[in-house]
Structures are given as structure tokens and as C-alpha cells.
Amino acid sequence: MSEISAGNRAGAGADDGGGDDGGGDAEYDVAVIGYGPTGVTAANLLGATGLRVVVLERDAEIYSRARAISTDEEVMRIWQRVGLADRLKQDMLADRPLDFVDARGRAFLSAHPTPRGHGHPPQMFLYQPALEQVLRDGVARHPNVEVWLRHECLRLRQDADGVELTVVGTADDSVRRLRARYVIAADGGSSLTRAQLNVGYEGRTYEDRWVVIDTKMLKPWPDHDRLRFRCDPTRPAVDCPTPLGHHRWEFPILPGDDERHLTTDEAIHAMVSRYGIGPDQIEILRATVYSHHVRFAARFRVGRVFLAGDAAHAMPPWIGQGMAAGVRDVANLCWKLDAVLRGELPESVLDSYEAERKPHVKEVTRRAVFVGRIITDRRLAVTRVRDAVLPLLNRIPGVAGRLQDSNWIPVAHYADGFRDRPRTKSSGITFRTRASDAGTAHSGTSRTGTSRTGTSRTGTFRTRASRTTAPGHQIPQPWVTAPDGSRVRLDDVLGGRWLLLHDALPTPQPEWERAGVPSLTVLPAGSSPAEGAVVDCDGVLRAWLTHHRATTLALRPDAYVYAAAPAGTPLPPPPEGLSLTPRANTASTPPVATPSPASPASSASPVPSASPAAQGTP
């Protein structure tokens, strides 16, 4: 019998035999294909909106092999939006330094992650199976989300109103049909969905293959919780701390190696013995061989289907951003899908997904490739220069700071996305999607901005000039004092909604108010709590506003700035078509209950039922 679980049993492998056998099509707002970190994050984000969602996953259980090993503060901020960040952090290691060491084990470069203001530790090491279990437990709060385990989508067929999916149950070969208004394909680097859409996956696969080893730590050793990139030209290695009593190594398979032998316990113990690790100190859980890829889908959107995560892009693991990029993808996409499905924004806003995400993913990938070259170079002459020069650079003021703070992950700035942009008088630009995408041209947002001149299907874009630098940036998330006097992170007050944020005395914004956008004032540190205001306890947010020469911001639901204005100046008008529907504040999504610290990856933790506010029920 097929394994289909409703939202309040998601991830538990419940076998209720639900679904439609052949007959009428089941109807959903969004179908998510794939239930890895990207898909399960999308299910949490969409579940909190109250939309009807179905998740399709071909496997019966969480993938047992730990692939991702770390994440960053911006991704934790996304998981905070669905009430899971604090629970996830219980199973993570934060603020661990990292060393690049030479063949003799001497550090030639040490780095310490530097916070960027998102309200969480800048880097956290994780054990992926445990992380995915918590995220799946989070989905279980939402009865509007159905999870179909052991089901695979074999065919997609689009029309003007939605997408028909033909789904096979891998347990019993049953065939079902369902319909969704939109589809998020998060089904990995070998995405069947991408292949069905005939979308190219351009790039390269590196010749080197790596064996990735997951171990249980039986006896700790000195500095076992410190990340080391062992830049030994004879055999580079990654020596990585992992929470919950695990440790991970990665070694390249060199010319002449027997790949199958290198995954045996004997070979693994021989490789780690070089670092003083004996057979009595670790238990080898699994060893898997991977190839490193640099690839990008030619398009992230085809009509009503969106590629996300590894289905859209693949990058080497050196700066730990592969999983993070997928989480950022769906954080960018899900609020836009929600707005379109509710009629709050025109469908054209969905064109901004690729315009915003693809440039950032490409830049992150470029930096990952660069760091990988430092780690894996096996040319003796080059590595000798590297080992000698980098320590010298590390002593130069300014250069040392850039090297040591490990600030290698570029900040996302959506210069060519869904935001207000300055325009000259003759700056009207016509934007059309490909006819094959959706059968019609889309108006609204594109690489060129937001429509200001009507509702034509060709979409002409004009905006007013702006003297601020804030649009396209995400605001920081400091601790603030809420109106009730409690100390909270800023996003818990923002609530994942359109919002006007004012510094000091608010300037009236009648156009935004008519669109139903509420306001929030930022008061300086030391002020008393007040209704409709937050107190910037440490002055972080007000300093950011000053730096960007803005006193009023129009924030998107993902806390990126759509428009900004200096003191006494009205904001540019809202995006064309913005009309907000009344809904409950989604800031109070209940967290997953804290389970016993033992074996979080193998047992589902108890989860409270979602409140109407958490579900975002209109």
C-alpha cells in the first residue's frame, strides 16, 4: 500500500492509502517534488501560509548519508520564520574556528566567522539526517500539507490553469493524478522534472572523485571540534567536526587508487591514522563516493514549474553553501507564490525568482571554486608558495581581516529583481518571457524593475529616482523590544508580511496605506515600548538606515527592501497590483517541541498542533 501522510503525520511514514486512484484529480495550490532540505523548507514555508500543498518523495525514509555539514546565519533566519531555528540549533555546533593547514599540520591561515547581523551564529555545523528530521516534524504542524512518501512524479502537463502531475506509488506501482496551480521541483541534481521540461544543466563535473566518511566519535581527540582543511599535496583532506557525536572526513580518490578499496574500513583507518586517530576512537558508519559539480539550469522557471536547490544548480562543497542555496531559493519563491495565489500580486512577480537567485548562486559558486583550489592544489611549487605567502598576507592590516573573518559568502543584493529602481525619463523597458514558458507574456517585474505605467501584457517599467542605497538589500535582524516590552528578534515582529518601517517621525505614505500595508516605527535605544513601534536595543537597525540614507523602507515579506526614501520624502508607489488581503500574523508559528537529545535523527519529536495564526489562515 502507498505511503501517504497528511500534514499532521508528515514524515512519519504513515500508511493510510490516501490519494486518488485513477479517477478525479486531487487539487492543490502547490506541489513540491522532493523532500530533502530544499523541499522540506518549502513545505514549512508554504504550510504556514495556509495554502493546500502536496509533497512527493520517492524514498520512504530520510536519506541516511550526511551530505551538508554546515549552514549560515541567513539560512537560520529563514528557518526562524517557520519557528524551527531554536530547535535546530540544539543539534548544531556554533562558532567553531577553521584552519587551512599544510602537509606538516601547521596552520598557514586561520579564520573565524564574522556575524553579518542576521541574529544567529554566522556558521553552524550540522548533522543532516537530524536536521531533516526536525524540519519534517515542523511540517507535521500543518494539516494543509500532505506528504506522499514513496511516490514519484513521472509526467508533468501544463495548461492555462495549472499543472497535471502523473504520480506512481513505488511501493505498489499504483498510478494517480493530481493537479496543482504551481510546482516546485526540488528533486536533486539528477532531477527528472528538469529532464521532462527539457531544460539544460550546463557546467562541468570535476575529474576528482571524493570519498566522504561519516563516523561516530568514540574517544575525543585534541581539537576534534575544529574544522581543518588539510592542504597536503600528496592527499588533501577535509577534517570536519559534526554534532551529535559524529565526525566527518573527505579524501580525494587519486590516480591509481582502487575506489572500492578506499571505502573499506581498512583503508579509512589507514588514511585517518595520519592525523593520530586510532581505530578505538571512531566507528565508521558509512563511506560514499561523490563527484563535485559546477552546474546551472539554463532556466529556473518553465511556465508554472520552478526548479530549486540542486535541480537548479550544483556547486562544490568547500564553503558549505550547496544546501544553503536551495533554502534561499525557496525562501525567495514561496512568499511570491503565496502572494500570487491570494491575488495580492500579479503573476508576473514570479519572473523575479530567477532574476534574483541565479546571479547570487553563480557568485557563491565562483567563490566555492576558488576556495577549493586553495585546498586541493597538488602542484608542489604552487603549494610551497601558498604556504609561505598566505601567512605573510595574514599579517597585513586590512588584508588579514578579510582573510581571517571567513567572510567569503557574498551578501545577496537583488539589484535586478523585484524592487523599486531609479529610472531616467526614457527608461521604459519592455519585458517578455519566452512564449514556451507560459504561453503569454508576463507584465510586472523582470531584470529591469517594476511596472509603473499600466497593466499591459507586455509590461513597461518606469520608476522614480531614489537617493537611497537600500532597495534590493535585506535589512539586519537585531534584537528589539516589542510593543509588549518583550525582547525578541526583529523578524518575530515583522511577521513575514509587507510592512513600512519608519525611523523617527513617520512620513505619511497614502498610496501604501491604501494598498493595506501596515507601518512600524523604529525607536532609539532607551525608548519606552509603544504600540506600533519597536525599540532598537543596540542601535543596529537605525545605524543601517543612516548608512543607506533612508528613513522609510517598504519591506517585502522576506525582509528585503522594495523601496526606500530619505527624510520627508514619500516612497515610490507600491508595486503594480499590490492589494493585501487580511490575514493573521504569521510571526507566532509554534516551534517544534524539544525532544530527548538521544538519537534525534531516528525518532520523530512531539510537535504541537499549529495554531490558526501559525497557518496564516485568512
Side-chain angles (χ1 to χ4, degrees):
M1 186 176 289
S2 303
E3 298 184 30
I4 304 177
S5 55
N8 59 358
R9 299 186 300 283
D15 188 350
D16 67 2
D20 293 328
D21 279 304
D25 298 346
E27 299 278 352
Y28 299 90
D29 293 309
V30 182
V32 179
I33 304 175
Y35 206 34
T38 299
V40 73
T41 299
N44 274 288
L45 290 165
L46 295 168
T49 67
L51 297 175
R52 190 177 182 200
V53 179
V54 62
V55 181
L56 306 174
E57 169 56 49
R58 66 183 178 185
D59 294 329
E61 304 289 344
I62 290 172
Y63 195 60
S64 62
R65 296 170 184 167
R67 293 150 292 168
I69 57 174
S70 69
T71 193
D72 61 44
E73 58 188 303
E74 184 185 352
V75 172
M76 294 307 303
R77 185 175 181 179
I78 292 167
W79 287 329
Q80 176 195 335
R81 282 163 51 186
V82 293
L84 299 177
D86 290 337
R87 170 62 191 91
L88 286 166
K89 286 193 289 188
Q90 294 176 21
D91 294 338
M92 295 181 178
L93 297 175
D95 298 325
R96 296 303 194 268
L98 65 89
D99 295 326
F100 292 80
V101 302
D102 61 20
R104 288 179 284 182
R106 300 176 305 180
F108 60 82
L109 177 64
S110 297
H112 301 271
T114 301
R116 289 183 166 182
H118 291 288
H120 298 279
Q123 184 181 47
M124 307 196 73
F125 293 99
L126 57 91
Y127 184 61
Q128 186 173 337
L131 176 137
E132 290 192 42
Q133 183 64 63
V134 173
L135 292 173
R136 289 191 180 195
D137 293 342
V139 174
R141 299 168 297 174
H142 303 297
N144 50 306
V145 180
E146 295 180 21
V147 179
W148 294 21
L149 301 178
R150 302 184 70 180
H151 282 77
E152 189 167 17
C153 178
L154 295 183
R155 188 182 71 171
L156 296 170
R157 187 170 65 185
Q158 301 193 53
D159 55 39
D161 299 317
V163 186
E164 180 186 87
L165 296 86
T166 302
V167 179
V168 63
T170 59
D172 58 6
D173 292 329
S174 61
V175 177
R176 295 176 170 84
R177 293 193 310 272
L178 62 88
R179 285 188 60 83
R181 298 280 300 281
Y182 295 98
V183 173
I184 299 175
D187 49 346
S190 57
S191 170
L192 178 61
T193 308
R194 188 185 63 241
Q196 290 185 64
L197 297 173
N198 199 28
V199 173
Y201 203 42
E202 302 157 356
R204 60 172 293 193
T205 296
Y206 286 82
E207 294 180 3
D208 290 346
R209 287 163 62 78
W210 286 65
V211 58
V212 178
I213 303 154
D214 183 20
T215 71
K216 180 180 180 181
M217 188 167 55
L218 303 178
K219 295 181 181 179
W221 52 90
D223 293 330
H224 65 86
D225 59 350
R226 192 179 188 98
L227 171 63
R228 289 184 180 85
F229 292 117
R230 299 187 178 273
C231 308
D232 183 347
T234 61
R235 191 186 294 273
V238 179
D239 181 351
C240 182
T242 314
L244 304 173
H246 292 258
H247 199 87
R248 178 163 166 174
W249 280 276
E250 301 178 15
F251 297 97
I253 298 172
L254 303 180
D257 283 340
D258 182 337
E259 182 174 305
R260 289 198 294 181
H261 174 69
L262 215 60
T263 60
T264 64
D265 288 5
E266 176 189 0
I268 292 168
H269 282 302
M271 287 189 290
V272 302
S273 67
R274 301 170 62 189
Y275 315 125
I277 310 300
D280 62 331
Q281 292 179 282
I282 60 171
E283 175 188 348
I284 300 169
L285 300 179
R286 57 191 63 86
T288 309
V289 175
Y290 287 104
S291 296
H292 294 161
H293 307 276
V294 174
R295 296 189 180 277
F296 305 96
R299 299 151 68 190
F300 285 13
R301 177 187 185 186
V302 178
R304 293 175 174 270
V305 183
F306 300 84
L307 303 176
D310 287 353
H313 43 74
M315 69 180 70
W318 307 117
I319 57 176
Q321 285 294 298
M323 179 189 71
V327 172
R328 288 187 178 95
D329 287 346
V330 292
N332 181 285
L333 177 60
C334 286
W335 74 264
K336 296 173 183 176
L337 287 172
D338 178 48
V340 170
L341 287 163
R342 293 180 183 277
E344 296 177 349
L345 284 172
E347 201 238 2
S348 55
V349 70
L350 301 175
D351 292 334
S352 67
Y353 166 59
E354 179 176 337
E356 293 182 345
R357 289 299 305 138
K358 197 168 192 177
H360 184 249
V361 169
K362 285 193 169 185
E363 178 60 20
V364 172
T365 304
R366 186 188 68 81
R367 298 194 189 190
V369 170
F370 174 75
V371 173
R373 288 174 180 158
I374 296 175
I375 298 166
T376 64
D377 204 306
R378 296 200 291 273
R379 295 169 294 176
L380 287 176
V382 172
T383 58
R384 285 170 182 164
V385 171
R386 175 199 66 196
D387 298 351
V389 170
L390 281 178
L392 296 177
L393 294 176
N394 210 18
R395 298 172 189 168
I396 301 174
V399 176
R402 291 182 63 86
L403 291 174
Q404 292 173 7
D405 70 4
S406 74
N407 204 8
W408 303 320
I409 302 167
V411 175
H413 173 221
Y414 298 149
D416 294 327
F418 184 53
R419 47 155 287 193
D420 178 76
R421 300 184 64 201
R423 285 285 177 268
T424 63
K425 289 183 179 179
S426 60
S427 64
I429 299 176
T430 299
F431 176 78
R432 290 181 184 270
T433 59
R434 302 181 187 186
S436 58
D437 283 0
T440 59
H442 294 286
S443 63
T445 302
S446 74
R447 293 180 55 83
T448 56
T450 304
S451 177
R452 290 281 178 264
T453 59
T455 58
S456 69
R457 295 295 293 175
T458 56
T460 302
F461 300 91
R462 305 182 195 275
T463 64
R464 300 181 185 180
S466 170
R467 290 174 290 170
T468 78
T469 58
H473 289 280
Q474 189 177 36
I475 64 171
Q477 183 189 207
W479 288 89
V480 298
T481 303
D484 63 1
S486 61
R487 181 178 167 86
V488 298
R489 295 185 182 96
L490 177 64
D491 286 3
D492 293 338
V493 181
L494 299 182
R497 52 186 171 157
W498 283 92
L499 194 71
L500 299 183
L501 200 65
H502 300 277
D503 181 14
L505 295 176
T507 300
Q509 307 291 341
E511 288 188 85
W512 288 86
E513 292 163 6
R514 283 195 295 272
V517 180
S519 295
L520 189 69
T521 300
V522 182
L523 301 176
S527 301
S528 299
E531 189 66 29
V534 294
V535 179
D536 188 9
C537 303
D538 301 313
V540 171
L541 190 53
R542 290 171 63 86
W544 190 90
L545 292 168
T546 299
H547 174 75
H548 287 283
R549 301 190 299 276
T551 59
T552 304
L553 304 177
L555 294 181
R556 308 183 334 180
D558 56 358
Y560 278 83
V561 178
Y562 174 82
T569 303
L571 285 167
E576 183 181 350
L578 180 66
S579 178
L580 302 187
T581 58
R583 67 173 77 194
N585 189 338
T586 61
S588 57
T589 301
V592 170
T594 303
S596 165
S599 302
S602 60
S603 61
S605 52
V607 184
S609 298
S611 65
Q615 299 171 29
T617 305

